[in-house]
Amino acid sequence: MDLVPALEEPLKKVLGPATAKVMAEHLGLHTVGDLLHHYPRRYEERGQLTHLAELPMDEHVTVVAQVADARLHTFASSKAPRGKGQRLEVTITDGSGRLQLVFFGSGVHKPHKELLPGTRAMFAGKVSVFNRRLQLAHPAYELLKGDAEETVETWAGTLIPIYPATAKLESWKIGKALQTVLPSAQEAVDPLPDSLREGRGLVSLPEALLKIHRPHTKADIAAARDRLKWDEAFVLQVALARRRHTDAQLPAVARKPSPDGLLAAFDDRLPFTLTDGQLKVSKEIFDDLATEHPMHRLLQGEVGSGKTMVALRAMLAVVDAGGQAAMLAPTEVLAQQHHRSITEMMGELAEGGMLGGAERATKVTLLTGSMGTAARRQALLDLVTGEAGIVIGTHALIEDKVQFHDLGLVVVDEQHRFGVEQRDALRGKGKQPPHLLVMTATPIPRTVAMTVFGDLETSVLDQLPAGRSPIASHVVPAADKPHFLARAWERVREEVGNGHQAYVVCPRIGDEEDDPKKAGKKKSPEDEAEKRPPLAVLDVAAQLAKGPLQGLRIEVLHGRMHPDDKDAVMRRFAAGDTDVLVATTVIEVGVNVPNATAMVIMDADRFGVSQLHQLRGRVGRGSAAGLCLLVSEMPEASPARQRLNSVASTLDGFELSRIDLEQRREGDVLGQAQSGARTSLRVLSVIEDEEVIAEAREEATAVVEADPDLERLPGLRVALDALLDEEREQYLEKG
């Protein structure tokens, strides 16, 4: 007898079409199972009221409170000119604060009868401000009536689940819908193997679902959450373990460097010794390359830890072994830069087939979308004949026309900007699946790496090469202390006076068309300050040239310039012909100008923590100390300023990535890192549940090793199918 369909029953059959439509459109819930997995956000105890003193503005809230008083006013208005307009004002209290409720017109009759002083109820609505006081206009409400036989104690101690709700569907309506479908929870098929569940003392899935929606005690909630966290962690890790298992079965050509080949010649030329970290990570990579299954490795390295050097040595090893290596960069500027720095590092070893090239040299080819026809034809020819051992390019590498002679290794730079589909398309270019190395300079906490990049093995480069200088970072509060900003520009002049260069980063370019629809609305002065458009490159560059940086050589760089112009600007800056580069975040990754020592980031609060850390990594790349100034007009107590203070206080990217994750919702992090697939995590927190994730990974690996097709675990197969909806399926398949 197949029990699954009870949970696959469409909600419109169970709850009726109107409610089902709202649930589908606003909450993404379509089946009984979806609704059972829509867990309460928190619980109210009837006796313990929400703090009205801490209500957030402009948010949809649910509060439990008591009516203190209710007054009906009449007034004249355009609709009711004879003073017949009615307004009911109800004040509610919970001991910590008071809140006003307002009802108008014909909507006053029912609440006027029901909301008498002393009545307790749940109220839901959007918090707004009227006459400097918080209020809820026309809130929905549900009276809390104790049944005659229900004693006051049990009534006051009952836990009321508060669900993530929307304006169209209040929390208690979701609660009532759940009451209808809750009996189906008995038929939920348990994905956890019995041995695992019993070994860890976890309750069964039907019991967990009952306890999370209808808890009698706080212990019930804790037991349910512990169990449901394991479900999420374990099912996701099984999906990833199966992916790794499948990959391990794929064939690949083993690529071993020859002892007196290109790699050895390159190492001999190096003017410095590699760090211990670089040697350790290189060994992990070379061991992977030497096997007959494709490498799938994630290389995490702090900004400037020498990832490119590690990747280049891996590419040379593959060329030694007769294969080709391709490096994929997210932007043309970055591809051109990589090409420039790699040919410089290799010197005559990059001049294969040319006069003056070393005997073991190879050709390093650049392929981008904006190349001229002749150059492009030559590059494509170099690839298909195998003349070019190393190719560096953008998405242009993935096009159908591009053919390789023998693609052995794909290096992807800054993976989080790179869709899974693109990684997949490039992989398909090899006769057999090529080895894959993914590099990121965004430090990812260990658990996120296990969750998001769980199909990749991870290597971490955490020591900086010798000769790197410390970077001092300071927040410049432009609104509170304008003289600080003036001093910031003086500091830039001082750096330039000492023969160095500086970046000024802005959030916007500045030639965007203003939206006529938005222009019409009047705004209050507070709104103006809060919502003024972010500072723009073109405006700031003009102001600096006329004002505080007058006389210095200033240039601009942004994403809408022609690629040749961008490259020319970067070349002039790298050559020291420009003092100050005013740019958007196009300089965020890969730009290497050791003489640039200062960076001023305008409207720094408009950038994320990881992005600020990336940007800051562009200075202090030489022997002189770096300086990063974070300019913001946000008030001192605001979360935005606290975020900037945390960036200024540490150079440790892993520490910052934790802060970033704690401040953003985790869904953003996971969503960004997974080709936009929405996160399916509901109770699992990637930061707090580090142990659960690590243990689930071990358990999942063991389960998949023993039973790759999960034949003995039908419940787990059902859960996997549910997790791997279309989007996730693609994400994991293409890994």
Side-chain angles (χ1 to χ4, degrees):
M1 174 177 160
D2 192 357
L3 292 175
V4 183
L7 298 194
E8 287 175 11
E9 188 90 41
L11 285 173
K12 58 173 174 283
K13 279 193 175 169
V14 190
L15 303 176
T19 308
K21 184 168 187 264
V22 177
M23 285 199 169
E25 285 177 6
H26 294 275
L27 296 168
L29 308 174
H30 303 279
T31 64
V32 168
D34 290 347
L35 181 54
L36 284 173
H37 288 294
H38 186 71
Y39 307 134
R41 180 191 320 200
R42 57 191 173 86
Y43 300 85
E44 280 300 342
E45 287 180 70
R46 278 186 176 143
Q48 170 210 331
L49 300 171
T50 320
H51 289 312
L52 291 180
E54 294 164 15
L55 287 182
M57 270 299 293
D58 281 344
E59 274 194 32
H60 216 81
V61 297
T62 303
V63 296
V64 179
Q66 190 164 10
V67 177
D69 79 329
R71 295 172 190 203
L72 192 61
H73 301 273
T74 52
F75 60 93
S77 71
S78 55
K79 289 184 184 163
R82 298 209 190 98
K84 292 281 169 56
Q86 290 191 309
R87 179 174 83 241
L88 175 66
E89 289 181 3
V90 178
T91 306
I92 59 172
T93 178
D94 67 351
S96 77
R98 296 167 86 79
L99 179 64
Q100 190 155 38
L101 315 177
V102 190
F103 301 87
F104 293 100
S106 56
V108 304
H109 306 307
K110 185 166 175 274
H112 190 217
K113 285 208 297 277
E114 294 184 334
L115 297 179
L116 305 170
T119 310
R120 294 160 67 85
M122 280 165 76
F123 301 92
K126 194 170 178 186
V127 183
S128 57
V129 170
F130 180 71
N131 279 344
R132 303 203 162 185
R133 287 169 63 191
L134 291 182
Q135 70 166 24
L136 296 181
H138 281 283
Y141 63 87
E142 177 88 339
L143 301 179
L144 296 175
K145 301 188 184 80
D147 295 342
E149 58 271 25
E150 197 179 27
T151 65
V152 174
E153 277 73 42
T154 57
W155 188 84
T158 307
L159 293 161
I160 305 168
I162 307 288
Y163 290 92
T166 74
K168 296 268 191 305
L169 199 63
E170 293 87 17
S171 169
W172 56 83
K173 288 189 181 156
I174 297 173
K176 281 181 175 160
L178 266 151
Q179 196 66 41
T180 311
V181 301
L182 209 49
S184 307
Q186 290 305 335
E187 301 183 12
V189 181
D190 203 321
L192 293 189
D194 295 344
S195 57
L196 189 158
R197 201 181 75 233
E198 287 155 12
R200 295 186 177 273
L202 299 169
V203 301
S204 70
L205 181 55
E207 191 182 336
L209 290 171
L210 286 171
K211 283 185 167 169
I212 196 124
H213 292 298
R214 292 289 173 270
H216 294 301
T217 61
K218 289 183 177 167
D220 283 354
I221 300 171
R225 290 180 69 89
D226 284 349
R227 162 61 217 243
L228 295 166
K229 277 179 184 179
W230 255 95
D231 275 22
E232 288 182 9
F234 181 71
V235 175
L236 179 57
Q237 290 301 336
V238 166
L240 294 164
R242 289 184 75 186
R243 176 79 196 116
R244 290 196 301 275
H245 185 267
T246 313
D247 283 343
Q249 312 306 312
L250 289 172
V253 181
R255 310 279 180 178
K256 296 178 181 161
S258 53
D260 54 354
L262 199 52
L263 177 62
F266 175 75
D267 284 349
D268 289 344
R269 294 173 46 99
L270 282 180
F272 51 81
T273 51
L274 296 169
T275 65
D276 295 344
Q278 285 174 318
L279 290 169
K280 176 174 137 287
V281 171
S282 288
K283 181 178 179 330
E284 291 170 351
I285 292 171
F286 290 153
D287 288 350
D288 281 0
L289 289 175
T291 63
E292 293 182 353
H293 300 292
M295 162 171 83
H296 291 110
R297 193 166 277 284
L298 172 70
L299 172 55
Q300 286 181 235
E302 273 288 12
V303 181
S305 56
K307 289 183 302 299
T308 313
M309 173 62 72
V310 169
L312 175 55
R313 292 183 72 242
M315 293 197 286
L316 294 174
V318 168
V319 175
D320 264 355
Q324 289 170 291
M327 185 177 213
L328 231 57
T331 64
E332 295 216 347
V333 169
L334 201 52
Q336 285 162 334
Q337 271 219 287
H338 275 317
H339 182 252
R340 204 161 45 233
S341 65
I342 282 175
T343 42
E344 279 167 16
M345 281 199 258
M346 286 176 63
E348 60 191 33
L349 296 175
E351 295 168 4
M354 296 195 278
L355 279 171
E359 56 180 301
R360 285 190 292 265
T362 186
K363 201 166 183 182
V364 181
T365 295
L366 176 70
L367 184 62
T368 61
S370 62
M371 284 168 83
T373 319
R376 187 178 172 78
R377 193 177 298 126
Q378 182 59 51
L380 290 171
L381 193 64
D382 289 344
L383 290 189
V384 77
T385 58
E387 183 82 13
I390 295 178
V391 56
I392 294 159
T394 52
H395 299 53
L397 275 179
I398 298 166
E399 290 166 19
D400 293 342
K401 293 194 285 291
V402 180
Q403 296 297 323
F404 288 85
H405 176 62
D406 178 11
L407 180 60
L409 170 67
V410 176
V411 179
V412 181
D413 190 17
E414 285 304 311
Q415 191 271 348
H416 60 277
R417 317 202 158 195
F418 225 84
V420 173
E421 289 77 12
Q422 291 138 331
R423 251 162 60 178
D424 191 46
L426 193 59
R427 254 187 188 169
K429 298 277 183 197
K431 297 189 178 70
Q432 284 191 326
H435 298 281
L436 175 70
L437 179 65
V438 172
M439 301 199 296
T440 174
T442 310
I444 308 167
R446 191 173 76 104
T447 40
V448 178
M450 278 197 264
T451 310
V452 178
F453 300 107
D455 57 335
L456 302 171
E457 299 299 329
T458 306
S459 294
V460 178
L461 265 180
D462 46 13
Q463 70 187 121
L464 291 184
R468 269 310 177 82
S469 304
I471 305 170
S473 308
H474 303 285
V475 178
V476 177
D480 317 344
K481 302 182 174 160
H483 59 287
F484 275 39
L485 184 58
R487 174 73 188 120
W489 300 125
E490 283 172 24
R491 284 290 291 117
V492 170
R493 289 197 87 101
E494 287 165 17
E495 289 298 313
V496 172
N498 292 333
H500 297 301
Q501 292 158 278
Y503 297 98
V504 176
V505 182
C506 306
R508 219 163 48 100
I509 296 173
D511 54 4
E512 297 89 347
E513 290 295 310
D514 282 335
D515 187 342
K517 282 190 236 142
K518 290 182 187 161
K521 295 183 183 164
K522 295 290 272 181
K523 292 199 185 101
S524 72
E526 286 83 12
D527 271 0
E528 289 297 334
E530 181 68 16
K531 301 210 169 78
R532 70 163 171 74
L535 291 171
V537 166
L538 301 174
D539 310 341
V540 169
Q543 289 160 11
L544 291 176
K546 287 200 205 84
L549 300 185
Q550 196 173 1
L552 300 187
R553 296 168 300 176
I554 297 175
E555 287 211 60
V556 298
L557 179 69
H558 58 74
R560 274 210 290 278
M561 290 163 60
H562 187 278
D564 292 350
D565 297 340
K566 280 195 254 190
D567 199 43
V569 169
M570 271 317 303
R571 278 174 189 276
R572 286 196 291 276
F573 189 64
D577 299 339
T578 308
D579 298 320
V580 178
L581 186 60
V582 182
T584 55
T585 54
V586 290
I587 61 147
E588 179 184 347
V589 282
V591 175
N592 187 23
V593 180
N595 190 42
T597 52
M599 176 176 286
V600 180
I601 302 179
M602 308 303 291
D603 278 343
D605 47 88
R606 312 237 179 180
F607 299 96
V609 171
S610 299
Q611 203 173 24
L612 291 169
H613 181 58
Q614 285 285 355
L615 287 165
R616 168 171 66 184
R618 301 297 118 216
V619 294
R621 297 177 79 87
S623 51
L627 172 70
C628 178
L629 301 173
L630 306 166
V631 180
S632 170
E633 292 186 0
M634 284 291 158
E636 195 158 346
S638 62
R641 270 286 284 283
Q642 286 160 13
R643 214 170 57 229
L644 296 181
N645 290 337
S646 46
V647 174
S649 67
T650 176
L651 290 173
D652 179 345
F654 286 93
E655 176 58 28
L656 285 175
S657 70
R658 280 189 88 90
I659 294 170
D660 195 16
L661 204 51
E662 279 160 11
Q663 289 179 343
R664 298 211 322 248
R665 288 207 328 284
E666 315 200 326
D668 305 348
V669 182
L670 298 180
Q672 254 189 342
Q674 295 160 352
S675 70
R678 68 192 178 83
T679 170
S680 63
L681 302 186
R682 297 185 181 91
V683 284
L684 189 70
S685 152
V686 183
I687 289 189
E688 289 157 20
D689 299 321
E690 192 159 341
E691 278 173 35
V692 176
I693 293 172
E695 289 171 18
R697 181 174 166 121
E698 280 177 32
E699 295 270 10
T701 307
V703 164
V704 172
E705 290 295 317
D707 180 7
D709 295 329
L710 308 179
E711 283 166 1
R712 298 191 289 282
L713 297 166
L716 180 53
R717 279 219 309 276
V718 171
L720 262 186
D721 295 341
L723 169 79
L724 303 180
D725 54 30
E726 294 298 301
E727 260 181 323
R728 302 280 289 206
E729 184 75 77
Q730 286 177 345
Y731 154 64
L732 287 166
E733 275 312 303
K734 293 187 174 164

